Amino acid sequence: MHITQLNRECLLHLFSFLDKNSRKSLAKTCHKLLEVFQDPLLWSLLNFHSPAELKKDNFLLGPALKYLSICWYSERVKVCNIEDWMKNNFQKDFCNRHENTVSDFLLEVCNRCPNLLSLTLSGCGHVTDDCILLLLKNCPNLKTLKLENCVRITDQTLEAVTLYGGSLQTLHVDFCRNITQTGLERVREKRPSLMLRAERSANMIPDNKPEKKLMFEKASRKLVQL
């Protein structure tokens, strides 16, 4: 039997075992397999391993999406984690190439994937509180939110969880250095049933803008003089 003689359910099942590139390649062979590739039921789960993958045309984004993860474990993540005012020109140029890639993609998710149940972001150093806030508002069924090593995430995201994360059951904010103990306690107070994990986050050194650092140094000098 030729593969195209299988019914739609069997073909969807076969496609489900393939990665995104393989699905795209197979879809190019005939019209019937292209239709299977374009079936929203095939795209309930998406995993990405770098921002560059978000720009490819080997997947579909739509209301069937329920599980999404963008996990970037490359050494280059360290460049994105450097405070903006401390980056040299080379580092700034590197970040400028993909600074808005993940945020723009998540904006598309907000607009096209209202049934999202789970989101995992790791190493996404340019994702901001505003982005997570918008996602919580537009994906009201979100049950699991896992953020790891997302340096621009602050207590504002925790506040958004208390206001708009009514369906959330699990929240991880691991190695997010600008999360504070105060913010975590507020979440525990407002949402006691939420499974909250914050590995190392509240114990890391938070970012301070240059003017804040200057004020701190002046205050330290005054204490020394006293």
Side-chain angles (χ1 to χ4, degrees):
M1 177 182 289
H2 193 272
I3 187 174
T4 56
Q5 293 177 287
L6 296 172
N7 61 34
R8 186 64 162 258
E9 289 72 21
C10 288
L11 289 173
L12 282 169
H13 185 65
L14 289 174
F15 264 76
S16 69
F17 290 98
L18 303 176
D19 60 31
K20 295 187 290 295
N21 285 332
S22 298
R23 291 178 183 181
K24 181 68 175 180
S25 297
L26 190 57
K28 292 179 179 179
T29 59
C30 73
H31 183 71
K32 184 173 183 178
L33 295 181
L34 176 61
E35 289 181 346
V36 176
F37 176 85
Q38 294 173 337
D39 192 321
L41 294 177
L42 185 62
W43 304 101
S44 61
L45 182 150
L46 283 173
N47 295 315
F48 299 95
H49 304 288
S50 78
E53 292 184 15
L54 302 177
K55 295 183 176 182
K56 295 184 178 180
D57 63 347
N58 58 1
F59 63 91
L60 292 183
L61 201 60
L65 182 63
K66 296 192 176 171
Y67 306 94
L68 170 64
S69 72
I70 306 172
C71 298
W72 194 23
Y73 297 118
S74 167
E75 282 291 313
R76 289 173 290 179
V77 170
K78 294 180 180 179
V79 176
C80 301
N81 288 350
I82 299 172
E83 294 95 324
D84 290 339
W85 57 87
M86 294 182 65
K87 291 175 183 172
N88 58 39
N89 290 333
F90 173 80
Q91 292 165 334
K92 288 179 180 178
D93 180 63
F94 171 77
C95 286
N96 286 338
R97 295 179 208 162
H98 65 268
E99 183 171 7
N100 298 315
T101 302
V102 177
S103 296
D104 289 346
F105 181 82
L106 290 178
L107 181 59
E108 287 295 310
V109 172
C110 290
N111 294 330
R112 299 164 61 179
C113 309
N115 300 311
L116 190 68
L117 297 178
S118 175
L119 173 65
T120 299
L121 301 177
S122 180
C124 299
H126 298 294
V127 172
T128 64
D129 296 314
D130 289 340
C131 190
I132 301 300
L133 168 63
L134 189 61
L135 189 132
L136 288 169
K137 285 183 175 180
N138 286 273
C139 302
N141 300 318
L142 192 68
K143 297 182 182 300
T144 300
L145 177 60
K146 297 181 179 180
L147 307 174
E148 178 187 51
N149 198 17
C150 296
V151 296
R152 295 194 182 186
I153 296 300
T154 72
D155 287 356
Q156 291 183 36
T157 285
L158 300 182
E159 183 66 21
V161 165
T162 65
L163 295 174
Y164 305 106
S167 297
L168 270 185
Q169 299 174 356
T170 301
L171 173 65
H172 293 178
V173 282
D174 299 331
F175 297 91
C176 296
R177 65 176 181 245
N178 290 302
I179 293 291
T180 70
Q181 193 62 48
T182 301
L184 294 172
E185 290 301 325
R186 181 169 175 79
V187 173
R188 293 189 178 101
E189 177 187 347
K190 296 289 185 179
R191 297 288 309 281
S193 63
L194 184 67
M195 294 180 61
L196 176 62
R197 191 181 81 182
E199 186 177 349
R200 297 284 300 276
S201 290
N203 297 321
M204 300 178 77
I205 300 174
D207 296 343
N208 290 303
K209 291 187 177 181
E211 58 267 21
K212 291 184 178 180
K213 289 184 178 180
L214 183 61
M215 290 173 62
F216 178 78
E217 290 173 358
K218 288 182 179 178
S220 299
R221 291 195 202 102
K222 287 183 180 179
L223 287 174
V224 171
Q225 291 172 357
L226 291 174

